PDB file of all heavy atoms in Angstrom:
ATOM      1  N   GLU A 193     -10.986   1.765 -20.627  1.00  0.00           N
ATOM      2  CA  GLU A 193      -9.704   2.270 -21.219  1.00  0.00           C
ATOM      3  C   GLU A 193      -8.789   2.662 -20.093  1.00  0.00           C
ATOM      4  O   GLU A 193      -9.137   3.403 -19.158  1.00  0.00           O
ATOM      5  CB  GLU A 193     -10.008   3.432 -22.080  1.00  0.00           C
ATOM      6  CG  GLU A 193      -8.787   3.994 -22.845  1.00  0.00           C
ATOM      7  CD  GLU A 193      -9.075   5.085 -23.782  1.00  0.00           C
ATOM      8  OE1 GLU A 193     -10.314   5.441 -23.837  1.00  0.00           O
ATOM      9  OE2 GLU A 193      -8.206   5.657 -24.385  1.00  0.00           O
ATOM     10  N   GLY A 194      -7.577   2.208 -20.200  1.00  0.00           N
ATOM     11  CA  GLY A 194      -6.547   2.637 -19.211  1.00  0.00           C
ATOM     12  C   GLY A 194      -6.522   1.752 -17.944  1.00  0.00           C
ATOM     13  O   GLY A 194      -5.776   1.961 -17.029  1.00  0.00           O
ATOM     14  N   ALA A 195      -7.348   0.631 -17.889  1.00  0.00           N
ATOM     15  CA  ALA A 195      -7.356  -0.251 -16.772  1.00  0.00           C
ATOM     16  C   ALA A 195      -6.037  -0.920 -16.623  1.00  0.00           C
ATOM     17  O   ALA A 195      -5.474  -1.375 -17.584  1.00  0.00           O
ATOM     18  CB  ALA A 195      -8.502  -1.201 -16.865  1.00  0.00           C
ATOM     19  N   ALA A 196      -5.526  -1.087 -15.399  1.00  0.00           N
ATOM     20  CA  ALA A 196      -4.313  -1.730 -15.138  1.00  0.00           C
ATOM     21  C   ALA A 196      -4.448  -2.452 -13.747  1.00  0.00           C
ATOM     22  O   ALA A 196      -5.230  -1.962 -12.867  1.00  0.00           O
ATOM     23  CB  ALA A 196      -3.136  -0.862 -15.159  1.00  0.00           C
ATOM     24  N   TYR A 197      -3.701  -3.468 -13.520  1.00  0.00           N
ATOM     25  CA  TYR A 197      -3.751  -4.264 -12.290  1.00  0.00           C
ATOM     26  C   TYR A 197      -2.452  -4.237 -11.518  1.00  0.00           C
ATOM     27  O   TYR A 197      -1.411  -4.436 -12.115  1.00  0.00           O
ATOM     28  CB  TYR A 197      -4.132  -5.730 -12.668  1.00  0.00           C
ATOM     29  CG  TYR A 197      -4.286  -6.678 -11.453  1.00  0.00           C
ATOM     30  CD1 TYR A 197      -5.241  -6.473 -10.500  1.00  0.00           C
ATOM     31  CD2 TYR A 197      -3.384  -7.771 -11.386  1.00  0.00           C
ATOM     32  CE1 TYR A 197      -5.302  -7.292  -9.458  1.00  0.00           C
ATOM     33  CE2 TYR A 197      -3.457  -8.582 -10.301  1.00  0.00           C
ATOM     34  CZ  TYR A 197      -4.433  -8.406  -9.301  1.00  0.00           C
ATOM     35  OH  TYR A 197      -4.465  -9.248  -8.213  1.00  0.00           O
ATOM     36  N   ALA A 198      -2.541  -4.048 -10.198  1.00  0.00           N
ATOM     37  CA  ALA A 198      -1.426  -4.012  -9.329  1.00  0.00           C
ATOM     38  C   ALA A 198      -1.548  -5.156  -8.324  1.00  0.00           C
ATOM     39  O   ALA A 198      -2.191  -5.106  -7.348  1.00  0.00           O
ATOM     40  CB  ALA A 198      -1.445  -2.666  -8.512  1.00  0.00           C
ATOM     41  N   PRO A 199      -0.863  -6.290  -8.655  1.00  0.00           N
ATOM     42  CA  PRO A 199      -0.993  -7.491  -7.850  1.00  0.00           C
ATOM     43  C   PRO A 199      -0.338  -7.337  -6.464  1.00  0.00           C
ATOM     44  O   PRO A 199       0.464  -6.384  -6.233  1.00  0.00           O
ATOM     45  CB  PRO A 199      -0.313  -8.558  -8.606  1.00  0.00           C
ATOM     46  CG  PRO A 199       0.647  -7.848  -9.491  1.00  0.00           C
ATOM     47  CD  PRO A 199       0.010  -6.525  -9.751  1.00  0.00           C
ATOM     48  N   LYS A 200      -0.704  -8.228  -5.546  1.00  0.00           N
ATOM     49  CA  LYS A 200      -0.053  -8.167  -4.184  1.00  0.00           C
ATOM     50  C   LYS A 200       1.438  -8.428  -4.381  1.00  0.00           C
ATOM     51  O   LYS A 200       1.860  -9.241  -5.157  1.00  0.00           O
ATOM     52  CB  LYS A 200      -0.773  -9.294  -3.375  1.00  0.00           C
ATOM     53  CG  LYS A 200      -0.205  -9.373  -1.963  1.00  0.00           C
ATOM     54  CD  LYS A 200      -0.951 -10.506  -1.168  1.00  0.00           C
ATOM     55  CE  LYS A 200      -0.445 -10.561   0.260  1.00  0.00           C
ATOM     56  NZ  LYS A 200      -1.148 -11.569   1.004  1.00  0.00           N
ATOM     57  N   LEU A 201       2.177  -7.705  -3.622  1.00  0.00           N
ATOM     58  CA  LEU A 201       3.623  -7.813  -3.670  1.00  0.00           C
ATOM     59  C   LEU A 201       4.176  -8.978  -2.875  1.00  0.00           C
ATOM     60  O   LEU A 201       3.659  -9.383  -1.860  1.00  0.00           O
ATOM     61  CB  LEU A 201       4.330  -6.515  -3.140  1.00  0.00           C
ATOM     62  CG  LEU A 201       4.003  -5.232  -3.912  1.00  0.00           C
ATOM     63  CD1 LEU A 201       4.507  -4.075  -3.215  1.00  0.00           C
ATOM     64  CD2 LEU A 201       4.524  -5.365  -5.322  1.00  0.00           C
ATOM     65  N   GLY A 202       5.246  -9.562  -3.376  1.00  0.00           N
ATOM     66  CA  GLY A 202       6.040 -10.601  -2.682  1.00  0.00           C
ATOM     67  C   GLY A 202       7.474 -10.140  -2.413  1.00  0.00           C
ATOM     68  O   GLY A 202       7.907  -9.163  -3.054  1.00  0.00           O
ATOM     69  N   LYS A 203       8.201 -10.892  -1.630  1.00  0.00           N
ATOM     70  CA  LYS A 203       9.580 -10.500  -1.387  1.00  0.00           C
ATOM     71  C   LYS A 203      10.421 -10.287  -2.616  1.00  0.00           C
ATOM     72  O   LYS A 203      11.274  -9.356  -2.707  1.00  0.00           O
ATOM     73  CB  LYS A 203      10.183 -11.507  -0.449  1.00  0.00           C
ATOM     74  CG  LYS A 203      11.627 -11.187  -0.016  1.00  0.00           C
ATOM     75  CD  LYS A 203      12.155 -12.160   0.988  1.00  0.00           C
ATOM     76  CE  LYS A 203      13.592 -11.753   1.430  1.00  0.00           C
ATOM     77  NZ  LYS A 203      14.208 -12.770   2.334  1.00  0.00           N
ATOM     78  N   GLU A 204      10.192 -11.119  -3.593  1.00  0.00           N
ATOM     79  CA  GLU A 204      11.070 -11.106  -4.829  1.00  0.00           C
ATOM     80  C   GLU A 204      10.793  -9.856  -5.637  1.00  0.00           C
ATOM     81  O   GLU A 204      11.632  -9.466  -6.489  1.00  0.00           O
ATOM     82  CB  GLU A 204      10.894 -12.374  -5.654  1.00  0.00           C
ATOM     83  CG  GLU A 204      11.556 -13.559  -5.198  1.00  0.00           C
ATOM     84  CD  GLU A 204      13.080 -13.394  -5.128  1.00  0.00           C
ATOM     85  OE1 GLU A 204      13.695 -13.022  -6.163  1.00  0.00           O
ATOM     86  OE2 GLU A 204      13.650 -13.573  -3.998  1.00  0.00           O
ATOM     87  N   ASP A 205       9.720  -9.176  -5.421  1.00  0.00           N
ATOM     88  CA  ASP A 205       9.474  -7.920  -6.131  1.00  0.00           C
ATOM     89  C   ASP A 205      10.560  -6.864  -5.771  1.00  0.00           C
ATOM     90  O   ASP A 205      10.696  -5.840  -6.473  1.00  0.00           O
ATOM     91  CB  ASP A 205       8.095  -7.371  -5.835  1.00  0.00           C
ATOM     92  CG  ASP A 205       7.046  -8.240  -6.465  1.00  0.00           C
ATOM     93  OD1 ASP A 205       7.030  -8.273  -7.750  1.00  0.00           O
ATOM     94  OD2 ASP A 205       6.191  -8.812  -5.777  1.00  0.00           O
ATOM     95  N   GLY A 206      11.228  -7.004  -4.641  1.00  0.00           N
ATOM     96  CA  GLY A 206      12.197  -6.040  -4.301  1.00  0.00           C
ATOM     97  C   GLY A 206      13.652  -6.277  -4.868  1.00  0.00           C
ATOM     98  O   GLY A 206      14.547  -5.513  -4.707  1.00  0.00           O
ATOM     99  N   ARG A 207      13.795  -7.483  -5.496  1.00  0.00           N
ATOM    100  CA  ARG A 207      15.105  -7.785  -6.030  1.00  0.00           C
ATOM    101  C   ARG A 207      15.465  -6.836  -7.240  1.00  0.00           C
ATOM    102  O   ARG A 207      14.637  -6.608  -8.097  1.00  0.00           O
ATOM    103  CB  ARG A 207      15.150  -9.248  -6.561  1.00  0.00           C
ATOM    104  CG  ARG A 207      16.507  -9.701  -7.076  1.00  0.00           C
ATOM    105  CD  ARG A 207      16.540 -11.102  -7.541  1.00  0.00           C
ATOM    106  NE  ARG A 207      16.277 -12.000  -6.448  1.00  0.00           N
ATOM    107  CZ  ARG A 207      17.148 -12.482  -5.647  1.00  0.00           C
ATOM    108  NH1 ARG A 207      18.440 -12.096  -5.724  1.00  0.00           N
ATOM    109  NH2 ARG A 207      16.828 -13.374  -4.702  1.00  0.00           N
ATOM    110  N   LEU A 208      16.684  -6.368  -7.224  1.00  0.00           N
ATOM    111  CA  LEU A 208      17.196  -5.443  -8.245  1.00  0.00           C
ATOM    112  C   LEU A 208      17.827  -6.237  -9.303  1.00  0.00           C
ATOM    113  O   LEU A 208      18.753  -7.019  -9.100  1.00  0.00           O
ATOM    114  CB  LEU A 208      18.171  -4.434  -7.679  1.00  0.00           C
ATOM    115  CG  LEU A 208      17.629  -3.513  -6.600  1.00  0.00           C
ATOM    116  CD1 LEU A 208      18.720  -2.581  -6.091  1.00  0.00           C
ATOM    117  CD2 LEU A 208      16.487  -2.666  -7.082  1.00  0.00           C
TER     118      LEU A 208
END
Side-chain angles (χ1 to χ4, degrees):
E193 183 179 359
Y197 178 63
K200 184 177 180 179
L201 296 173
K203 184 176 180 181
E204 282 300 304
D205 288 298
R207 183 181 295 276
L208 298 178

